[in-house]
Amino acid sequence: MVHLFKLFCTTTISVIAIGVHGAEAISGKPRVVDGDSLNFGSVAVRLHGIDAPERDQLCSRNSQEWRCGFEATAALAALVENHWVDCSEIDKDRYGRIIAVCSIGGPLGVQLNREMVATGWAIAYRRYSTDYVTEEMEAQKSGLGIWSGSFVAPEQWRRGKRQTSKEHQRLSSFEDRDCKDFRTHEEAQRFYESAGSGDPHRLDGDGDGVACEGLKR
């Protein structure tokens, strides 16, 4: 049986439904913390499978630094603005935040996790999920959002790594990838082709132009 209770705060009303297995479904009008985090009153939610630039993070474009973390936060705020947001719990992280897939407009609406990656304001967080790899590759290929220049992966930024003028190119801003990072051969092939000549990620073992052939089985 599902039990319902309400959390009230000065800016929003959230409803949290707790199912029989302890999973939570959260609904309400949240406050945007950054490009991948929301607060429903006292309940903190981290968007599953994505990693957005930190709020104070800087990226580089045309040899100029720009506030990509601020822009990513603004992009999520624009999506959420005046909408009721529904989130379904996937997990909880070590900080006690709920890891969730969130959407606006109901089942046929916009999934925030996917939209942030598809528009280039977040990356697929491969450490935990490959759900949005295809969207990331398309955004990268189109030069959207943070892909319009070069950047340090958010996880590396949190660890104190900063970008130098010659250190990163757009297609090398990430750690090395291999075939296990892709769900299908088609995803691997698209990434292989977008990464440029020379096969920098070593996805084509026999040099025949076909990436991750083992995924074709």
Side-chain angles (χ1 to χ4, degrees), residues 179 185 189 192 199 202-214 216:
C179 290
H185 168 259
Q189 187 67 27
Y192 167 76
D199 190 19
R202 301 175 300 282
L203 301 178
D204 179 14
D206 56 9
D208 65 352
V210 179
C212 301
E213 294 181 69
K216 297 176 72 173

Side-chain angles (χ1 to χ4, degrees), residues 41-165:
S42 62
V43 179
V45 172
R46 176 71 153 77
L47 297 181
H48 162 74
I50 77 171
D51 201 13
E54 293 302 300
R55 196 180 184 106
D56 63 345
Q57 184 167 343
L58 300 176
C59 297
S60 178
R61 185 169 54 205
N62 299 323
S63 300
Q64 299 291 323
E65 287 188 333
W66 61 289
R67 299 170 63 192
C68 57
F70 176 85
E71 295 293 340
T73 303
L76 182 57
L79 286 171
V80 168
E81 184 179 15
N82 296 323
H83 289 286
W84 193 266
V85 178
D86 299 304
C87 298
S88 298
E89 179 186 348
I90 300 295
D91 200 355
K92 283 190 172 73
D93 68 11
R94 58 179 176 163
Y95 304 108
R97 295 178 299 182
I98 293 171
I99 307 300
V101 174
C102 298
S103 61
I104 57 176
L108 300 180
V110 176
Q111 189 199 109
L112 300 179
N113 311 48
R114 177 174 291 111
E115 186 69 9
M116 287 297 289
V117 177
T119 53
W121 292 116
I123 63 174
Y125 206 175
R126 285 173 173 75
R127 176 191 291 270
Y128 300 105
S129 171
T130 57
D131 287 352
Y132 308 110
V133 170
T134 298
E135 288 81 3
E136 179 194 278
M137 289 190 294
E138 291 300 322
Q140 181 180 8
K141 185 176 180 181
S142 299
L144 301 178
I146 58 176
W147 294 107
S148 62
S150 59
F151 61 94
V152 173
E155 185 173 36
Q156 296 176 6
W157 180 275
R158 291 191 291 273
R159 293 174 179 172
K161 187 175 181 61
R162 298 295 183 264
Q163 183 170 301
T164 62
S165 59

